[in-house]
């Protein structure tokens, strides 16, 4: 795979440490092999000069490279300045830069393929010019088969599985382009997301590293029943857990309470019992798989915690005892603040079902207060947006991070939630989530001038995505 050297970076490493300038990150064969710091400097680390640019570049592409990276000796220009000088939009500039990166990657692949046996692997140096480098984002709670339309839980049942796969693949590519290099799908459709997961892992399609729970396990008529496994009693829950694991699930999800999107159920009402969830959790633990629980009401949250759940999803009605249990047990909290927020923002005008809108409006204040209480108490928090729910696409993790900041978390904490916190939720904190030696080289580079510590919405300005040491 070769070596990628990222120099002259402003590094946010995901550990919660303050940003540091002058960072160099070396990625060897897909994993981070070195992180070091040195004074920031002009581009002098081996980036190609104007005379050595590939001959297949168009005049416009050559202009973009020259201006963005100062290859002719002039100071590098921001994306805004380049777009202005060329009289093009920012989106047009983004497309040009994507073509350039793809062309350079293709050239590197040809060079690698042509090397004689025993020669050293290709070494690529990219001077970031002081731009922010950080770990790839991790969406800890999404549903890639859901379309983020007004009624996504039902709309997925109205098209063929083949159509679901095609649409889901497109959503997953958008996630990767937005800087989400890892994600956890907590409830799919007929296991089609497993095929996507495997295709991404094999490099056959562009998409994030994906962990899949398969079908949600719910009581008869419980939240998510149209696409889930209806199960009553510990034995049926155990069998449903085994079925998901047989199909290849990476984790399991249990419905401890009602929810917003399923008609006829209350968000605060308990559903699967402690005993039922414990049976399924035991099956996951037997094969070292992690578990998550949709848990909105207080009783259901505590049932899931007593049963041994690893992550609490939503946690709308937390109380002091539940928070103490989460802290003591090391349970990760995935609040999904964006889910009810986006429903209320869309409202009746965009076709949200009346029952979902009414319930979302009713729970939002309690949701915010529970989140504030949890972060004050030191609960480990991850960022997942419940992507796929109404007007809440899986590639938009930035709204979730912004709401975290709006509700009292500092920007560095929100970044940590979307990187290391989410890695902990997925059980992958030894592999991803921070820029540290030995971890996978999953990184993003923000556009010039994007400062997420000053403005968390700058996280939407992703200029480059690197997955396992490869620019994508």
């Amino acid at each position: 795979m070769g070596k990628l050297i990222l120099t002259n970076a402003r590094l946010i490493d995901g550990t919660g440490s303050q940003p540091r300038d002058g960072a160099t990150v070396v990625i060897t064969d897909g994993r981070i092999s070195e992180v070091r710091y040195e004074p920031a400097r002009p581009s002098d680390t081996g980036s190609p000069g104007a005379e050595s640019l590939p001959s297949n570049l168009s005049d416009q592409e050559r202009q973009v490279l020259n201006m963005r990276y100062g290859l002719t000796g002039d100071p590098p220009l921001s994306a805004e300045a380049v777009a202005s000088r060329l009289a093009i939009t920012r989106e047009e500039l983004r497309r040009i830069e994507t073509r350039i990166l793809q062309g350079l990657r293709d050239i590197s692949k040809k060079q690698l393929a042509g090397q004689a046996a025993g020669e050293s692997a290709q070494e690529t140096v990219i001077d970031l010019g002081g731009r922010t480098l950080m770990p790839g984002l991790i969406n800890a709670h999404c549903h890639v088969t859901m379309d983020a339309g007004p009624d996504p839980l039902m709309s997925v049942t109205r098209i063929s599985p083949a159509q679901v796969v095609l649409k889901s693949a497109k959503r997953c590519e958008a996630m990767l382009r937005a800087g989400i290099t890892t994600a956890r799908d907590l409830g799919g459709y007929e296991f089609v997301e497993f095929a996507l997961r495997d295709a991404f892992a094999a490099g056959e399609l562009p998409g994030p590293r994906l962990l899949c729970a398969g079908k949600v396990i719910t009581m008869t008529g419980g939240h998510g029943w149209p696409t889930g496994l209806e199960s009553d009693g510990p034995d049926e829950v155990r069998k449903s857990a085994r079925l998901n694991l047989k199909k290849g699930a990476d984790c399991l999800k249990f419905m401890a309470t009602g929810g917003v999107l399923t008609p006829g159920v209350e968000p605060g009402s308990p559903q699967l019992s402690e005993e039922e969830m414990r049976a399924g959790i035991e099956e996951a633990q037997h094969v070292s798989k992690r578990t998550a629980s949709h848990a909105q009401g207080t009783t259901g949250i505590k049932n899931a915690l007593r049963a041994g759940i690893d992550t609490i999803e939503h946690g709308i009605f937390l109380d002091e005892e539940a928070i103490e249990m989460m802290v003591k047990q090391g349970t990760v909290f995935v609040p999904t603040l964006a889910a009810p927020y986006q429903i209320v923002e869309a409202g009746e005008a965009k076709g949200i079902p009346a029952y979902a809108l009414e319930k979302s409006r009713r729970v939002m204040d309690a949701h915010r207060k529970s989140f504030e209480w949890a972060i004050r108490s030191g609960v480990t928090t991850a960022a997942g947006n419940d992507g796929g729910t109404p007007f809440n696409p899986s590639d938009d993790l930035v709204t979730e991070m912004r709401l975290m900041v709006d509700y009292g978390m500092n920007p560095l904490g929100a970044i940590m939630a979307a990187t290391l916190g989410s890695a902990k939720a997925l059980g992958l904190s030894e592999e991803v989530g921070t820029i540290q030696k030995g971890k996978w080289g999953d990184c993003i580079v923000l556009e010039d001038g994007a400062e997420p510590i000053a403005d968390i919405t700058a996280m939407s300005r992703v200029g480059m995505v690197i997955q396992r040491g490869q620019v994508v």
Side-chain angles (χ1 to χ4, degrees), residues 354-369:
Y355 63 84
L357 185 56
E358 185 276 327
K359 286 189 279 187
S360 293
R361 285 174 172 155
R362 181 155 36 97
V363 303
M364 274 191 67
D365 188 55
H367 202 183
R368 175 183 57 79
K369 289 178 180 177

Side-chain angles (χ1 to χ4, degrees), residues 415-428:
I415 291 170
M416 188 175 176
T419 53
L420 180 57
S422 288
K424 289 179 177 179
L426 276 58
L428 294 178

Side-chain angles (χ1 to χ4, degrees), residues 219 255-259 264-272 296-300 317:
M219 72 178 195
M255 300 308 221
T257 71
V265 302
E266 275 298 307
S269 63
Q271 293 196 345
L272 287 178
Q296 297 187 356
T298 310
T299 299
F317 297 102

Side-chain angles (χ1 to χ4, degrees), residues 328-413:
K328 182 178 179 180
Q329 296 173 199
T331 311
V332 181
F333 179 34
V334 189
T336 69
L337 301 168
Y341 170 84
Q342 297 286 38
I343 289 173
V344 171
E345 285 291 295
E348 298 93 338
K350 292 190 176 180
I352 301 288
Y355 63 84
L357 185 56
E358 185 276 327
K359 286 189 279 187
S360 293
R361 285 174 172 155
R362 181 155 36 97
V363 303
M364 274 191 67
D365 188 55
H367 202 183
R368 175 183 57 79
K369 289 178 180 177
S370 288
F371 173 75
E372 292 172 347
W373 195 354
I375 62 172
R376 284 198 308 268
S377 303
V379 175
T380 300
T381 305
N385 74 330
D386 207 0
T389 54
F391 302 97
N392 187 30
S394 293
D395 59 280
D396 177 19
L397 196 57
V398 178
T399 297
E400 181 72 17
M401 298 171 73
R402 176 178 65 79
L403 290 171
M404 287 179 160
V405 172
D406 288 348
Y407 296 169
M409 184 176 272
N410 64 55
L412 201 56

Side-chain angles (χ1 to χ4, degrees), residues 68 77-84 89-90 93 97 447-448 461:
R68 287 288 278 132
L77 298 179
S78 67
E80 291 87 348
V82 172
S84 176
T89 65
R90 285 286 304 281
L93 178 61
E97 290 182 326
E447 293 177 354
D448 188 33
R461 296 171 57 190

